[in-house]
Amino acid sequence: MKKEVKDRLISEYDNLKHKERFTALKYCFRYNNVYVNIFFDNYDKNVPSMSMILAYNNKYYYTSLNIKNTAIRTEYFRKIPLDILERLLDENNHLGGFFESIETHILNSNKAVINYERDICFANTIRYSRSENDLPFLYSLRRTKMLNDTLEQLSETMGIDRFVLRKIQSEGFTIVRTDDVNKRKSLKAIIGNLDILIE
């Protein structure tokens, strides 16, 4: 994501007068007849949370997005309905134009300030498309060695530094995520006593 877009998101969130763990910015627009909903919060300064919900023909798709680099490879769009994906890809089967439209919309459109729990689109999509592999919020560590695929997905979609993920993996843990905003924790809080430096 371009620096100006990232800076704008962080600035707009950080300048909100009232922020709680459930507070987020929301941007909505249509792209090739797909309804695009972007959610952002900076609750965890080390891992800003960005997620996307796509809707088309009564099908919904949720994924986390990496604010540091939204050019996610298509293999990280797990379980996306094919008819949605086809509307996002350009003639070369790339997502670049789609992600550029997200950046343009964020820079040129008004945001809504929402509560994750009360936003019907977010709450219902998360409830009905719940996948342990792609939940929006960090929750805890589990004593089981993180799979390399999980490490790559967390780095690609959530923007967690690979060095930090490898250290968690080498200590014999994996990251657990949750769809319950009230259970969310910051990355620093969940790594607790592990000897991992977050920059």
Side-chain angles (χ1 to χ4, degrees):
M1 181 163 283
K2 291 176 187 160
K3 184 178 186 305
E4 65 179 312
V5 180
K6 178 181 171 183
D7 290 347
R8 177 170 180 151
L9 285 167
I10 291 171
S11 174
E12 290 201 344
Y13 181 85
D14 288 351
N15 288 329
L16 293 175
K17 290 183 181 177
H18 303 287
K19 297 184 290 287
E20 301 290 339
R21 68 177 63 207
F22 52 73
T23 306
L25 307 178
K26 180 180 179 180
Y27 299 85
C28 304
F29 65 102
R30 284 175 70 180
Y31 183 85
N32 202 13
N33 292 321
V34 175
Y35 289 91
V36 181
N37 301 275
I38 302 294
F39 302 86
F40 174 80
D41 74 71
N42 198 31
Y43 169 79
D44 182 346
K45 307 280 189 214
N46 293 299
V47 186
S49 176
M50 189 174 197
S51 54
M52 174 176 67
I53 293 174
L54 304 173
Y56 177 72
N57 276 354
N58 294 318
K59 293 180 181 174
Y60 292 83
Y61 176 74
Y62 165 84
T63 189
S64 301
L65 291 177
N66 179 351
I67 188 174
K68 298 169 188 170
N69 175 19
T70 54
I72 297 172
R73 300 191 304 264
T74 53
E75 64 261 34
Y76 289 100
F77 273 27
R78 299 171 193 258
K79 300 183 181 177
I80 186 171
L82 188 57
D83 48 348
I84 293 180
L85 182 59
E86 287 173 342
R87 295 190 158 280
L88 306 181
L89 295 171
D90 64 20
E91 62 276 357
N92 298 313
N93 287 330
H94 293 119
L95 293 164
F98 172 63
F99 283 116
E100 282 178 24
S101 73
I102 291 174
E103 292 179 333
T104 298
H105 192 81
I106 289 169
L107 290 173
N108 298 310
S109 303
N110 291 328
K111 68 190 181 298
V113 180
I114 60 106
N115 175 329
Y116 282 118
E117 295 177 300
R118 294 184 185 156
D119 186 85
I120 293 169
C121 175
F122 187 87
N124 286 345
T125 303
I126 293 297
R127 184 179 304 120
Y128 295 115
S129 66
R130 190 175 189 278
S131 165
E132 195 173 301
N133 293 326
D134 197 7
L135 295 173
F137 310 116
L138 300 179
Y139 175 54
S140 66
L141 294 181
R142 180 185 307 142
R143 184 167 279 288
T144 182
K145 188 172 182 179
M146 187 185 310
L147 299 173
N148 288 332
D149 283 352
T150 302
L151 187 151
E152 286 302 315
Q153 184 186 19
L154 287 167
S155 176
E156 281 284 327
T157 63
M158 295 194 83
I160 302 174
D161 186 275
R162 277 187 174 83
F163 171 80
V164 172
L165 291 169
R166 285 191 189 103
K167 184 68 174 169
I168 292 169
Q169 183 185 52
S170 73
E171 296 284 337
F173 291 95
T174 192
I175 291 178
V176 177
R177 292 186 278 174
T178 181
D179 58 354
D180 185 344
V181 71
N182 296 302
K183 292 181 178 177
R184 83 184 301 191
K185 295 184 179 108
S186 69
L187 182 60
K188 275 189 177 180
I190 68 169
I191 62 175
N193 295 327
L194 293 181
D195 185 25
I196 300 174
L197 178 65
I198 301 178
E199 295 182 6

